[in-house]
Amino acid sequence: MTTTASYTVTGMTCGHCVTSVTEEVSQLPGVTGVEVDLATGGLTLTSAEPVDEAAVRAAVEEAGYEVSGR
């Protein structure tokens, strides 16, 4: 079974920001796909099992940004 979760990331301003968030979130256990939309701040991740929201927030913060909502 595949699950999808969507978040809103604030603070991204360029392609490098998108790459940083994508790389950090991609490293979370179970994550099979990550899509980041710079224009909307949208982050959508696909995983084999639900990924803990706290882990997603921590990965985004590690990249230097914040999750503002889900």
Side-chain angles (χ1 to χ4, degrees), residues 7-10 12 17 20-25 28 43 53-69:
Y7 301 88
T8 301
V9 178
T10 57
M12 297 187 300
C17 301
S20 296
V21 170
T22 301
E23 287 177 354
E24 288 295 334
V25 175
L28 293 173
L43 163 63
E53 184 176 341
V56 175
R57 287 181 181 274
V60 170
E61 288 170 8
E62 182 68 29
Y65 310 97
E66 290 185 17
V67 173
S68 65

PDB file of all heavy atoms in Angstrom, residues 7-10 12 17 20-25 28 43 53-69:
ATOM      1  N   TYR A   7       2.192  18.715   2.767  1.00  0.00           N
ATOM      2  CA  TYR A   7       2.545  19.734   3.751  1.00  0.00           C
ATOM      3  C   TYR A   7       2.783  21.049   3.014  1.00  0.00           C
ATOM      4  O   TYR A   7       2.965  21.061   1.806  1.00  0.00           O
ATOM      5  CB  TYR A   7       3.837  19.350   4.488  1.00  0.00           C
ATOM      6  CG  TYR A   7       3.744  18.035   5.212  1.00  0.00           C
ATOM      7  CD1 TYR A   7       4.046  16.847   4.564  1.00  0.00           C
ATOM      8  CD2 TYR A   7       3.356  17.982   6.544  1.00  0.00           C
ATOM      9  CE1 TYR A   7       3.959  15.629   5.222  1.00  0.00           C
ATOM     10  CE2 TYR A   7       3.263  16.766   7.211  1.00  0.00           C
ATOM     11  CZ  TYR A   7       3.568  15.597   6.544  1.00  0.00           C
ATOM     12  OH  TYR A   7       3.479  14.405   7.199  1.00  0.00           O
ATOM     13  N   THR A   8       2.830  22.144   3.770  1.00  0.00           N
ATOM     14  CA  THR A   8       3.201  23.435   3.198  1.00  0.00           C
ATOM     15  C   THR A   8       4.500  23.878   3.864  1.00  0.00           C
ATOM     16  O   THR A   8       4.590  23.919   5.095  1.00  0.00           O
ATOM     17  CB  THR A   8       2.099  24.486   3.439  1.00  0.00           C
ATOM     18  OG1 THR A   8       0.897  24.015   2.838  1.00  0.00           O
ATOM     19  CG2 THR A   8       2.478  25.817   2.805  1.00  0.00           C
ATOM     20  N   VAL A   9       5.491  24.195   3.037  1.00  0.00           N
ATOM     21  CA  VAL A   9       6.800  24.602   3.529  1.00  0.00           C
ATOM     22  C   VAL A   9       6.958  26.095   3.296  1.00  0.00           C
ATOM     23  O   VAL A   9       6.678  26.596   2.202  1.00  0.00           O
ATOM     24  CB  VAL A   9       7.926  23.829   2.801  1.00  0.00           C
ATOM     25  CG1 VAL A   9       9.297  24.285   3.276  1.00  0.00           C
ATOM     26  CG2 VAL A   9       7.756  22.333   3.007  1.00  0.00           C
ATOM     27  N   THR A  10       7.399  26.823   4.313  1.00  0.00           N
ATOM     28  CA  THR A  10       7.628  28.258   4.166  1.00  0.00           C
ATOM     29  C   THR A  10       9.115  28.555   4.184  1.00  0.00           C
ATOM     30  O   THR A  10       9.899  27.828   4.786  1.00  0.00           O
ATOM     31  CB  THR A  10       6.933  29.058   5.289  1.00  0.00           C
ATOM     32  OG1 THR A  10       7.409  28.595   6.553  1.00  0.00           O
ATOM     33  CG2 THR A  10       5.427  28.896   5.229  1.00  0.00           C
ATOM     34  N   MET A  12      11.090  28.941   1.341  1.00  0.00           N
ATOM     35  CA  MET A  12      11.801  28.571   0.116  1.00  0.00           C
ATOM     36  C   MET A  12      11.707  29.722  -0.893  1.00  0.00           C
ATOM     37  O   MET A  12      10.638  30.294  -1.076  1.00  0.00           O
ATOM     38  CB  MET A  12      11.216  27.303  -0.503  1.00  0.00           C
ATOM     39  CG  MET A  12      11.342  26.081   0.355  1.00  0.00           C
ATOM     40  SD  MET A  12      10.819  24.566  -0.503  1.00  0.00           S
ATOM     41  CE  MET A  12       9.109  24.931  -0.896  1.00  0.00           C
ATOM     42  N   CYS A  17      16.549  25.772  -2.736  1.00  0.00           N
ATOM     43  CA  CYS A  17      15.694  25.481  -1.588  1.00  0.00           C
ATOM     44  C   CYS A  17      14.918  24.182  -1.826  1.00  0.00           C
ATOM     45  O   CYS A  17      14.830  23.331  -0.953  1.00  0.00           O
ATOM     46  CB  CYS A  17      14.687  26.613  -1.370  1.00  0.00           C
ATOM     47  SG  CYS A  17      15.413  28.235  -1.087  1.00  0.00           S
ATOM     48  N   SER A  20      17.203  21.195  -1.503  1.00  0.00           N
ATOM     49  CA  SER A  20      17.552  20.908  -0.109  1.00  0.00           C
ATOM     50  C   SER A  20      16.434  20.178   0.602  1.00  0.00           C
ATOM     51  O   SER A  20      16.661  19.181   1.296  1.00  0.00           O
ATOM     52  CB  SER A  20      17.860  22.213   0.642  1.00  0.00           C
ATOM     53  OG  SER A  20      18.999  22.832   0.104  1.00  0.00           O
ATOM     54  N   VAL A  21      15.205  20.670   0.447  1.00  0.00           N
ATOM     55  CA  VAL A  21      14.058  20.033   1.100  1.00  0.00           C
ATOM     56  C   VAL A  21      13.859  18.626   0.540  1.00  0.00           C
ATOM     57  O   VAL A  21      13.650  17.668   1.291  1.00  0.00           O
ATOM     58  CB  VAL A  21      12.788  20.891   0.931  1.00  0.00           C
ATOM     59  CG1 VAL A  21      11.551  20.123   1.398  1.00  0.00           C
ATOM     60  CG2 VAL A  21      12.927  22.201   1.697  1.00  0.00           C
ATOM     61  N   THR A  22      13.949  18.496  -0.781  1.00  0.00           N
ATOM     62  CA  THR A  22      13.761  17.191  -1.423  1.00  0.00           C
ATOM     63  C   THR A  22      14.781  16.182  -0.901  1.00  0.00           C
ATOM     64  O   THR A  22      14.425  15.044  -0.552  1.00  0.00           O
ATOM     65  CB  THR A  22      13.876  17.313  -2.954  1.00  0.00           C
ATOM     66  OG1 THR A  22      12.878  18.229  -3.417  1.00  0.00           O
ATOM     67  CG2 THR A  22      13.672  15.975  -3.636  1.00  0.00           C
ATOM     68  N   GLU A  23      16.041  16.586  -0.810  1.00  0.00           N
ATOM     69  CA  GLU A  23      17.095  15.673  -0.360  1.00  0.00           C
ATOM     70  C   GLU A  23      16.874  15.236   1.081  1.00  0.00           C
ATOM     71  O   GLU A  23      17.015  14.054   1.404  1.00  0.00           O
ATOM     72  CB  GLU A  23      18.467  16.331  -0.509  1.00  0.00           C
ATOM     73  CG  GLU A  23      18.910  16.426  -1.957  1.00  0.00           C
ATOM     74  CD  GLU A  23      20.246  17.144  -2.121  1.00  0.00           C
ATOM     75  OE1 GLU A  23      20.790  17.676  -1.122  1.00  0.00           O
ATOM     76  OE2 GLU A  23      20.732  17.191  -3.260  1.00  0.00           O
ATOM     77  N   GLU A  24      16.531  16.173   1.958  1.00  0.00           N
ATOM     78  CA  GLU A  24      16.343  15.834   3.378  1.00  0.00           C
ATOM     79  C   GLU A  24      15.154  14.901   3.567  1.00  0.00           C
ATOM     80  O   GLU A  24      15.240  13.903   4.283  1.00  0.00           O
ATOM     81  CB  GLU A  24      16.170  17.094   4.225  1.00  0.00           C
ATOM     82  CG  GLU A  24      17.437  17.897   4.401  1.00  0.00           C
ATOM     83  CD  GLU A  24      18.523  17.184   5.191  1.00  0.00           C
ATOM     84  OE1 GLU A  24      18.214  16.298   6.015  1.00  0.00           O
ATOM     85  OE2 GLU A  24      19.694  17.513   4.982  1.00  0.00           O
ATOM     86  N   VAL A  25      14.021  15.234   2.944  1.00  0.00           N
ATOM     87  CA  VAL A  25      12.812  14.424   3.128  1.00  0.00           C
ATOM     88  C   VAL A  25      12.989  13.052   2.473  1.00  0.00           C
ATOM     89  O   VAL A  25      12.502  12.049   2.987  1.00  0.00           O
ATOM     90  CB  VAL A  25      11.571  15.166   2.593  1.00  0.00           C
ATOM     91  CG1 VAL A  25      10.329  14.291   2.663  1.00  0.00           C
ATOM     92  CG2 VAL A  25      11.348  16.460   3.383  1.00  0.00           C
ATOM     93  N   LEU A  28      14.205  10.118   4.686  1.00  0.00           N
ATOM     94  CA  LEU A  28      13.392   9.526   5.744  1.00  0.00           C
ATOM     95  C   LEU A  28      13.067   8.074   5.400  1.00  0.00           C
ATOM     96  O   LEU A  28      12.779   7.765   4.245  1.00  0.00           O
ATOM     97  CB  LEU A  28      12.090  10.318   5.920  1.00  0.00           C
ATOM     98  CG  LEU A  28      12.236  11.736   6.464  1.00  0.00           C
ATOM     99  CD1 LEU A  28      10.895  12.455   6.412  1.00  0.00           C
ATOM    100  CD2 LEU A  28      12.779  11.706   7.885  1.00  0.00           C
ATOM    101  N   LEU A  43       4.638  20.480  -0.437  1.00  0.00           N
ATOM    102  CA  LEU A  43       5.504  19.313  -0.309  1.00  0.00           C
ATOM    103  C   LEU A  43       4.596  18.094  -0.266  1.00  0.00           C
ATOM    104  O   LEU A  43       3.722  18.007   0.596  1.00  0.00           O
ATOM    105  CB  LEU A  43       6.328  19.397   0.980  1.00  0.00           C
ATOM    106  CG  LEU A  43       6.988  18.107   1.487  1.00  0.00           C
ATOM    107  CD1 LEU A  43       8.004  17.583   0.490  1.00  0.00           C
ATOM    108  CD2 LEU A  43       7.625  18.321   2.839  1.00  0.00           C
ATOM    109  N   GLU A  53       4.733  12.702  11.145  1.00  0.00           N
ATOM    110  CA  GLU A  53       4.760  14.125  10.811  1.00  0.00           C
ATOM    111  C   GLU A  53       5.928  14.837  11.480  1.00  0.00           C
ATOM    112  O   GLU A  53       6.548  15.724  10.894  1.00  0.00           O
ATOM    113  CB  GLU A  53       3.442  14.791  11.215  1.00  0.00           C
ATOM    114  CG  GLU A  53       3.370  16.242  10.801  1.00  0.00           C
ATOM    115  CD  GLU A  53       2.036  16.895  11.104  1.00  0.00           C
ATOM    116  OE1 GLU A  53       1.032  16.177  11.313  1.00  0.00           O
ATOM    117  OE2 GLU A  53       2.004  18.131  11.127  1.00  0.00           O
ATOM    118  N   ALA A  54       6.264  14.454  12.701  1.00  0.00           N
ATOM    119  CA  ALA A  54       7.382  15.076  13.411  1.00  0.00           C
ATOM    120  C   ALA A  54       8.698  14.844  12.663  1.00  0.00           C
ATOM    121  O   ALA A  54       9.561  15.724  12.613  1.00  0.00           O
ATOM    122  CB  ALA A  54       7.477  14.537  14.831  1.00  0.00           C
ATOM    123  N   ALA A  55       8.834  13.664  12.059  1.00  0.00           N
ATOM    124  CA  ALA A  55      10.048  13.363  11.294  1.00  0.00           C
ATOM    125  C   ALA A  55      10.114  14.224  10.040  1.00  0.00           C
ATOM    126  O   ALA A  55      11.191  14.702   9.666  1.00  0.00           O
ATOM    127  CB  ALA A  55      10.082  11.878  10.928  1.00  0.00           C
ATOM    128  N   VAL A  56       8.971  14.438   9.392  1.00  0.00           N
ATOM    129  CA  VAL A  56       8.932  15.287   8.204  1.00  0.00           C
ATOM    130  C   VAL A  56       9.298  16.719   8.587  1.00  0.00           C
ATOM    131  O   VAL A  56      10.121  17.360   7.930  1.00  0.00           O
ATOM    132  CB  VAL A  56       7.542  15.247   7.532  1.00  0.00           C
ATOM    133  CG1 VAL A  56       7.475  16.234   6.368  1.00  0.00           C
ATOM    134  CG2 VAL A  56       7.214  13.828   7.064  1.00  0.00           C
ATOM    135  N   ARG A  57       8.710  17.221   9.670  1.00  0.00           N
ATOM    136  CA  ARG A  57       9.021  18.576  10.141  1.00  0.00           C
ATOM    137  C   ARG A  57      10.512  18.714  10.452  1.00  0.00           C
ATOM    138  O   ARG A  57      11.144  19.704  10.098  1.00  0.00           O
ATOM    139  CB  ARG A  57       8.201  18.918  11.388  1.00  0.00           C
ATOM    140  CG  ARG A  57       6.741  19.166  11.082  1.00  0.00           C
ATOM    141  CD  ARG A  57       5.951  19.523  12.355  1.00  0.00           C
ATOM    142  NE  ARG A  57       4.554  19.744  12.048  1.00  0.00           N
ATOM    143  CZ  ARG A  57       4.052  20.904  11.647  1.00  0.00           C
ATOM    144  NH1 ARG A  57       4.832  21.949  11.512  1.00  0.00           N
ATOM    145  NH2 ARG A  57       2.768  21.018  11.374  1.00  0.00           N
ATOM    146  N   ALA A  58      11.083  17.705  11.106  1.00  0.00           N
ATOM    147  CA  ALA A  58      12.500  17.738  11.466  1.00  0.00           C
ATOM    148  C   ALA A  58      13.377  17.765  10.214  1.00  0.00           C
ATOM    149  O   ALA A  58      14.375  18.491  10.159  1.00  0.00           O
ATOM    150  CB  ALA A  58      12.858  16.542  12.343  1.00  0.00           C
ATOM    151  N   ALA A  59      13.007  16.997   9.196  1.00  0.00           N
ATOM    152  CA  ALA A  59      13.784  16.963   7.954  1.00  0.00           C
ATOM    153  C   ALA A  59      13.723  18.312   7.246  1.00  0.00           C
ATOM    154  O   ALA A  59      14.735  18.805   6.743  1.00  0.00           O
ATOM    155  CB  ALA A  59      13.273  15.851   7.033  1.00  0.00           C
ATOM    156  N   VAL A  60      12.542  18.915   7.207  1.00  0.00           N
ATOM    157  CA  VAL A  60      12.387  20.230   6.570  1.00  0.00           C
ATOM    158  C   VAL A  60      13.183  21.281   7.339  1.00  0.00           C
ATOM    159  O   VAL A  60      13.869  22.123   6.745  1.00  0.00           O
ATOM    160  CB  VAL A  60      10.894  20.619   6.476  1.00  0.00           C
ATOM    161  CG1 VAL A  60      10.732  22.075   6.041  1.00  0.00           C
ATOM    162  CG2 VAL A  60      10.162  19.690   5.504  1.00  0.00           C
ATOM    163  N   GLU A  61      13.137  21.211   8.669  1.00  0.00           N
ATOM    164  CA  GLU A  61      13.906  22.152   9.493  1.00  0.00           C
ATOM    165  C   GLU A  61      15.409  21.954   9.312  1.00  0.00           C
ATOM    166  O   GLU A  61      16.175  22.905   9.307  1.00  0.00           O
ATOM    167  CB  GLU A  61      13.500  22.025  10.960  1.00  0.00           C
ATOM    168  CG  GLU A  61      12.109  22.593  11.203  1.00  0.00           C
ATOM    169  CD  GLU A  61      11.558  22.284  12.591  1.00  0.00           C
ATOM    170  OE1 GLU A  61      12.295  21.749  13.451  1.00  0.00           O
ATOM    171  OE2 GLU A  61      10.361  22.593  12.804  1.00  0.00           O
ATOM    172  N   GLU A  62      15.824  20.709   9.129  1.00  0.00           N
ATOM    173  CA  GLU A  62      17.239  20.411   8.878  1.00  0.00           C
ATOM    174  C   GLU A  62      17.698  21.086   7.593  1.00  0.00           C
ATOM    175  O   GLU A  62      18.834  21.525   7.470  1.00  0.00           O
ATOM    176  CB  GLU A  62      17.438  18.894   8.798  1.00  0.00           C
ATOM    177  CG  GLU A  62      18.869  18.444   8.577  1.00  0.00           C
ATOM    178  CD  GLU A  62      19.790  18.731   9.768  1.00  0.00           C
ATOM    179  OE1 GLU A  62      19.323  18.761  10.915  1.00  0.00           O
ATOM    180  OE2 GLU A  62      20.985  18.927   9.512  1.00  0.00           O
ATOM    181  N   ALA A  63      16.783  21.175   6.624  1.00  0.00           N
ATOM    182  CA  ALA A  63      17.102  21.833   5.357  1.00  0.00           C
ATOM    183  C   ALA A  63      17.079  23.353   5.487  1.00  0.00           C
ATOM    184  O   ALA A  63      17.505  24.075   4.581  1.00  0.00           O
ATOM    185  CB  ALA A  63      16.110  21.398   4.268  1.00  0.00           C
ATOM    186  N   GLY A  64      16.559  23.852   6.615  1.00  0.00           N
ATOM    187  CA  GLY A  64      16.562  25.289   6.871  1.00  0.00           C
ATOM    188  C   GLY A  64      15.226  25.980   6.660  1.00  0.00           C
ATOM    189  O   GLY A  64      15.164  27.208   6.570  1.00  0.00           O
ATOM    190  N   TYR A  65      14.134  25.218   6.625  1.00  0.00           N
ATOM    191  CA  TYR A  65      12.808  25.792   6.361  1.00  0.00           C
ATOM    192  C   TYR A  65      11.820  25.296   7.405  1.00  0.00           C
ATOM    193  O   TYR A  65      12.181  24.545   8.291  1.00  0.00           O
ATOM    194  CB  TYR A  65      12.372  25.423   4.926  1.00  0.00           C
ATOM    195  CG  TYR A  65      13.458  25.738   3.946  1.00  0.00           C
ATOM    196  CD1 TYR A  65      14.320  24.759   3.514  1.00  0.00           C
ATOM    197  CD2 TYR A  65      13.683  27.044   3.541  1.00  0.00           C
ATOM    198  CE1 TYR A  65      15.384  25.050   2.666  1.00  0.00           C
ATOM    199  CE2 TYR A  65      14.740  27.362   2.706  1.00  0.00           C
ATOM    200  CZ  TYR A  65      15.584  26.368   2.264  1.00  0.00           C
ATOM    201  OH  TYR A  65      16.629  26.677   1.455  1.00  0.00           O
ATOM    202  N   GLU A  66      10.574  25.742   7.296  1.00  0.00           N
ATOM    203  CA  GLU A  66       9.560  25.357   8.262  1.00  0.00           C
ATOM    204  C   GLU A  66       8.335  24.782   7.569  1.00  0.00           C
ATOM    205  O   GLU A  66       7.992  25.206   6.477  1.00  0.00           O
ATOM    206  CB  GLU A  66       9.122  26.569   9.092  1.00  0.00           C
ATOM    207  CG  GLU A  66      10.165  27.077  10.045  1.00  0.00           C
ATOM    208  CD  GLU A  66       9.623  28.199  10.917  1.00  0.00           C
ATOM    209  OE1 GLU A  66       8.395  28.364  11.009  1.00  0.00           O
ATOM    210  OE2 GLU A  66      10.445  28.916  11.498  1.00  0.00           O
ATOM    211  N   VAL A  67       7.696  23.845   8.262  1.00  0.00           N
ATOM    212  CA  VAL A  67       6.398  23.338   7.801  1.00  0.00           C
ATOM    213  C   VAL A  67       5.351  24.215   8.475  1.00  0.00           C
ATOM    214  O   VAL A  67       5.320  24.309   9.695  1.00  0.00           O
ATOM    215  CB  VAL A  67       6.198  21.861   8.192  1.00  0.00           C
ATOM    216  CG1 VAL A  67       4.785  21.401   7.854  1.00  0.00           C
ATOM    217  CG2 VAL A  67       7.226  20.978   7.498  1.00  0.00           C
ATOM    218  N   SER A  68       4.517  24.883   7.658  1.00  0.00           N
ATOM    219  CA  SER A  68       3.531  25.790   8.234  1.00  0.00           C
ATOM    220  C   SER A  68       2.164  25.155   8.359  1.00  0.00           C
ATOM    221  O   SER A  68       1.284  25.680   9.015  1.00  0.00           O
ATOM    222  CB  SER A  68       3.421  27.066   7.405  1.00  0.00           C
ATOM    223  OG  SER A  68       2.919  26.766   6.117  1.00  0.00           O
ATOM    224  N   GLY A  69       1.964  24.039   7.697  1.00  0.00           N
ATOM    225  CA  GLY A  69       0.663  23.414   7.779  1.00  0.00           C
ATOM    226  C   GLY A  69       0.668  22.092   7.051  1.00  0.00           C
ATOM    227  O   GLY A  69       1.676  21.696   6.487  1.00  0.00           O
TER     228      GLY A  69
END
